[in-house]
Amino acid sequence: MATSVRLIRRYVWLVDTIRRAGHISLDEINGLWLRNYALNPGHETEIPERTFHRHREAIIDLFGVEIACDRATNTYYIQDISSLEHPSFTSWLFNGLAIDNQLMSNESLKNRIVYEDTPGGMEFMPVILEAISTNRVLAITYRSYNKPNKDTEWEIEPYGLKQYRRRWYLIGCKVGEDCHLTFALDRIVSITITDKIFVPDNGEELNDFFSEVVGVFVDPDLDVEEVMVRVYGRQRNYFEGTPLHPSQKIIVRKAEYTDYGFMLRPEYEFQHEILRLGPDAEVLSPQWLRDDMKWYAEESLKRYSK
């Protein structure tokens, strides 16, 4: 097991070294490897060429990342860097291990990095992924925030997983029903795979299902419609740096403010993302949403006025 872990760390280091260099020769790789005392405690002078090519094959199998060779310069580079940059389990796992390698190489870094607490539930992921891959029904015991003193038993056809705000969610349907349900992994008390098989709807992608909302909840009673939001001052830089939704676009830009357009279901999560901006954001349309946001602001004012 220890040998396997060391090998995986070596694979990650190799890919990360090539990624950061852009193009790099095997001699240059070996020079950096010799100076890496954390991952190379035996001070190996080189990664033999045959071993290097075996590593390349293993990296394709493990991460789906191809280390290609530029024959003109006899250097190596990452064939498709997007596989390590786009949101995915592969990029999540790889970048986490790459950071961990850096921490191993420099103990002082550990006291200079502050982490956020992350809700639990990650231990359920292997079971959920197995159920998804084998189309097996999951039996879960769930404790929702709405009923914190009562556990509920569910039989769920698992369709996928979605991450939102540091929390992971299981997306699935109750056996015999069509509606999608969302379960926060940190609220799951227990989970087991049953012998029951279900037939997934292969015509539906989770990305498409959530494409009309911000967050993880889809309210069928709300229609997709155009929403206009005005953002003031420097807050616009953050708003554009991390768009709330893929449909976000600039409609009008002025010195004092910018108007943004969205095409989505303006549900709870979207509304509260706008509320988080306080007086720096204002919903312009539709009118019903503007009225709702006004009500939220008035209710907040009442609390502060007491």
Side-chain angles (χ1 to χ4, degrees):
M1 178 62 72
T3 300
S4 298
V5 171
R6 284 197 295 269
L7 266 178
I8 291 172
R9 288 190 177 277
R10 181 184 288 206
Y11 299 156
V12 170
W13 175 86
L14 185 58
V15 174
D16 190 45
T17 297
I18 296 172
R19 175 176 65 169
R20 286 191 285 165
H23 282 68
I24 188 172
S25 68
L26 184 55
D27 285 342
E28 291 170 323
I29 291 172
N30 283 328
L32 295 171
W33 178 243
L34 178 61
R35 296 196 294 272
N36 193 312
Y37 301 114
L39 298 179
N40 183 17
H43 306 298
E44 299 172 2
T45 57
E46 66 176 7
I47 301 173
E49 187 170 355
R50 181 177 296 179
T51 300
F52 173 73
H53 292 306
R54 285 203 302 267
H55 287 356
R56 291 173 66 192
E57 294 174 0
I59 286 166
I60 291 178
D61 291 338
L62 187 62
F63 296 112
V65 174
E66 181 180 355
I67 298 175
C69 180
D70 184 342
R71 299 296 181 185
T73 60
N74 201 27
T75 57
Y76 295 91
Y77 63 97
I78 304 302
Q79 179 70 42
D80 182 11
I81 199 68
S82 65
S83 62
L84 299 176
E85 296 175 345
H86 292 166
S88 67
F89 268 114
T90 298
S91 62
W92 176 57
L93 173 64
F94 174 84
N95 288 305
L97 287 172
I99 292 170
D100 201 48
N101 279 350
Q102 290 289 335
L103 295 178
M104 284 184 62
S105 301
N106 191 338
E107 287 287 331
S108 66
L109 285 176
K110 294 182 179 179
N111 297 322
R112 302 172 69 178
I113 298 175
V114 181
Y115 298 92
E116 282 189 307
D117 288 334
T118 302
M122 295 293 290
E123 67 273 18
F124 299 128
M125 272 199 174
V127 175
I128 294 171
L129 290 171
E130 181 181 346
I132 292 172
S133 64
T134 58
N135 298 330
R136 303 265 291 281
V137 171
L138 284 169
I140 70 173
T141 302
Y142 194 72
R143 187 176 300 162
S144 72
Y145 285 115
N146 294 330
K147 298 178 181 178
N149 299 317
K150 182 180 179 181
D151 294 345
T152 306
E153 306 292 332
W154 296 84
E155 283 199 336
I156 298 297
E157 298 174 353
Y159 284 162
L161 289 159
K162 183 175 181 1
Q163 188 181 32
Y164 180 65
R165 287 190 167 277
R166 298 184 295 116
R167 178 176 273 121
W168 282 96
Y169 295 86
L170 164 64
I171 312 301
C173 291
K174 187 176 180 180
V175 173
E177 298 183 4
D178 292 332
C179 64
H180 284 70
L181 301 171
T182 304
F183 301 89
L185 264 58
D186 60 297
R187 304 304 298 171
I188 294 176
V189 179
S190 64
I191 187 167
T192 56
I193 299 178
T194 72
D195 293 329
K196 299 178 181 178
I197 303 295
F198 71 96
V199 179
D201 183 358
N202 293 324
E204 182 178 52
E205 297 286 342
L206 278 188
N207 283 334
D208 294 336
F209 182 74
F210 289 106
S211 64
E212 299 172 347
V213 299
V214 171
V216 294
F217 300 102
V218 179
D219 186 348
D221 294 329
L222 279 179
D223 294 327
V224 175
E225 58 183 312
E226 186 175 10
V227 177
M228 295 281 290
V229 177
R230 177 167 293 173
V231 181
Y232 297 87
R234 289 182 295 179
Q235 195 63 240
R236 293 174 291 180
N237 296 330
Y238 299 100
F239 203 72
E240 293 176 17
T242 54
L244 287 186
H245 188 263
S247 66
Q248 178 176 317
K249 61 181 180 180
I250 296 172
I251 305 300
V252 175
R253 188 188 294 277
K254 300 286 187 179
E256 301 82 9
Y257 63 81
T258 300
D259 291 344
Y260 301 90
F262 299 86
M263 186 61 68
L264 46 62
R265 299 176 195 258
E267 299 182 270
Y268 175 89
E269 292 290 350
F270 175 78
Q271 295 176 26
H272 281 258
E273 286 293 335
I274 301 301
L275 287 171
R276 288 177 64 235
L277 299 176
D280 291 325
E282 171 190 4
V283 171
L284 302 180
S285 65
Q287 187 60 45
W288 72 265
L289 181 58
R290 181 176 174 86
D291 292 340
D292 280 4
M293 302 298 278
K294 179 182 177 183
W295 180 85
Y296 283 129
E298 290 172 344
E299 290 300 302
S300 296
L301 181 60
K302 287 178 184 178
R303 293 190 183 278
Y304 282 104
S305 299
K306 290 182 181 179

